Amino acid sequence: MERADDIRTETLRLIQAAASLDALEQIRIAALGKKGRVTALMKELGGLDAEARRQRGAELNRLKDEVEAAIAAATHRLEEHALAARLAGERLDVTLPVRAQTAGRIHPISQAIDEIVAIFGEMGFRVAEGPDIEDDFHNFTALNIPPEHPARQEHDTFYLAGPAHGGRKVLRTHTSPVQVRTMQAQKPPIRIIVPGRTFRVDSDATHSPMFHQVEGLVIDKTTHMGHLKGCLIEFCRAFFDIDDLPVRFRPSYFPFTEPSAEVDIGCSRADGGLKIGAGGDWLEILGSGMVHPKVLDICGIDPLEYRGFAFGIGVERMAMLKYGIPDLRVFYENDLRWLRHYGFLPLDQPSMTGGLTR
């Protein structure tokens, strides 16, 4: 039979020498656990006579209390030591100067969209939105785009997996499907602009697989080509902040408008540069036209009673021209140095009264 004094001496020595809480727990189990040394002595009390059991039990209880007290003291000591080590490792010098914080910037694409929305908002247009993933009907058929049109080919459009004939979804190639959805859901008069992402299979210094458009649509009983021209002339002059900016309308073709026109603005390319304004050259910036009667009919609007005009603006192109950005690809490279240079302060929201660009 082990002597209680021997167990006391050895266990207290081990507790005092314990270097971690895990080691201390192993010592506790060895002494007081189900198979511990003190527990084993307790189990032997049943074989003693009454007087010997009373004396031996009192001795073992004192031993157990001493071991538990020593373990509690050691636990407190080790926890204090661990806390002190953690605080020493996380110490901060509060006298150090605060790190410089760089103010965030609005991306030029977001800025250009806000400016365009501000201009057309003053003309009574409201913003409409729609899904990035479209079906064939809304993206092509409803816009009078025939099956043989190049835009329907794999080399121009991102198709999603699905049936090959008419059932496949596409990443919308323009924001015009929102115009279709609006005409189907709302009775004229309609006056909307549609900013959003669009997708086409193209990538170089002036094209990106993903880009942004703002399209406009006006439908009522009296709108004519003169209203379209006046609206876009005022927009171009407001956006570029040039009151006498030359603007011309050049005949063109789009499946969803008739007649159709490209919109050019005056510019100068003297000395190898590009300057927007009066000059001997012209620069194409957007497409427009009167909504094709077939499109109105497909969308459930009587083309004999209603008419309208539509236009489409490439946001990146407008931003490049206005802010002097030479390459489209840098818009998506997430270079903070570039964004600090070309970005805009977040609180300077564009408005026609407070100014578009600061």
Side-chain angles (χ1 to χ4, degrees):
M1 180 183 297
E2 281 194 286
R3 295 178 62 237
D5 288 342
D6 294 339
I7 296 176
R8 176 186 294 104
T9 301
E10 182 177 352
T11 302
L12 295 180
R13 178 181 60 79
L14 293 173
I15 292 173
Q16 187 64 30
S20 67
L21 292 173
D22 288 340
L24 190 63
E25 176 64 12
Q26 294 302 316
I27 296 170
R28 186 196 68 78
I29 293 173
L32 304 178
K34 290 183 178 181
K35 297 182 180 180
R37 298 168 70 184
V38 177
T39 304
L41 293 180
M42 290 285 192
K43 292 179 180 179
E44 295 175 356
L45 292 176
L48 301 177
D49 58 45
E51 181 62 23
R53 184 165 58 250
R54 182 183 63 79
Q55 294 180 359
R56 183 66 169 172
E59 181 183 14
L60 294 179
N61 283 331
R62 287 194 298 272
L63 172 59
K64 180 180 178 182
D65 291 342
E66 289 182 34
V67 171
E68 289 178 342
I71 289 174
T75 299
H76 179 73
R77 171 177 55 82
L78 291 172
E79 287 177 346
E80 288 289 323
H81 179 74
L83 178 60
R86 179 182 173 185
L87 292 175
E90 297 178 355
R91 182 176 298 166
L92 297 176
D93 186 352
V94 295
T95 65
L96 290 174
V98 177
R99 293 181 180 178
Q101 295 292 325
T102 303
R105 290 290 188 270
I106 298 295
H107 196 281
I109 291 177
S110 299
Q111 176 72 17
I113 291 175
D114 288 344
E115 293 182 16
I116 294 170
V117 169
I119 295 171
F120 285 111
E122 287 292 316
M123 299 182 188
F125 287 79
R126 68 174 182 85
V127 173
E129 297 180 328
D132 288 353
I133 297 176
E134 275 292 358
D135 54 47
D136 181 272
F137 173 79
H138 288 92
N139 198 78
F140 295 121
T141 304
L143 293 165
N144 196 36
I145 299 176
E148 68 276 6
H149 195 281
R152 288 180 177 263
Q153 304 303 311
E154 298 275 0
H155 59 73
D156 265 3
T157 300
F158 291 105
Y159 283 95
L160 280 66
H165 300 289
R168 285 192 297 177
K169 300 289 187 179
V170 303
L171 294 179
R172 64 180 182 186
T173 57
H174 41 197
T175 55
S176 300
V178 182
Q179 299 182 27
V180 174
R181 293 180 179 276
T182 301
M183 286 188 284
Q184 290 177 321
Q186 176 183 331
K187 292 183 178 180
I190 297 171
R191 197 175 186 89
I192 61 169
I193 52 173
V194 187
R197 291 185 297 266
T198 54
F199 309 85
R200 295 180 191 173
V201 184
D202 209 350
S203 181
D204 55 41
T206 57
H207 297 85
S208 170
M210 185 199 78
F211 56 101
H212 297 76
Q213 283 187 341
V214 175
E215 297 196 12
L217 175 69
V218 173
I219 302 292
D220 59 32
K221 294 183 178 181
T222 59
T223 291
H224 53 71
M225 193 72 179
H227 294 142
L228 167 63
K229 294 176 68 176
C231 176
L232 294 182
I233 289 172
E234 288 302 313
F235 162 72
C236 293
R237 290 176 176 173
F239 183 81
F240 291 105
D241 196 21
I242 301 175
D243 292 337
D244 59 348
L245 176 66
V247 181
R248 75 176 183 183
F249 290 75
R250 179 167 37 85
S252 186
Y253 166 77
F254 303 110
F256 31 82
T257 53
E258 179 61 36
S260 304
E262 302 281 3
V263 180
D264 302 335
I265 58 174
C267 68
S268 171
R269 293 186 173 87
D271 301 323
L274 176 65
K275 182 179 180 181
I276 304 298
D281 292 310
W282 294 94
L283 181 67
E284 175 192 326
I285 60 169
L286 61 96
S288 64
M290 301 301 293
V291 179
H292 200 292
K294 288 186 177 179
V295 175
L296 293 175
D297 188 51
I298 291 173
C299 294
I301 296 176
D302 185 356
L304 299 179
E305 183 178 3
Y306 292 98
R307 66 188 71 180
F309 65 78
F311 55 85
I313 302 168
V315 177
E316 282 84 345
R317 180 170 177 78
M318 300 294 282
M320 291 170 70
L321 293 173
K322 184 170 183 177
Y323 311 140
I325 301 172
D327 194 318
L328 176 71
R329 292 167 291 193
V330 295
F331 280 107
Y332 309 107
E333 290 180 351
N334 299 321
D335 189 329
L336 291 178
R337 297 167 300 176
W338 180 87
L339 186 57
R340 292 188 190 104
H341 178 76
Y342 285 106
F344 296 83
L345 294 177
L347 296 182
D348 288 340
Q349 290 295 317
S351 70
M352 293 301 291
T353 55
L356 294 179
T357 307
R358 300 183 186 180

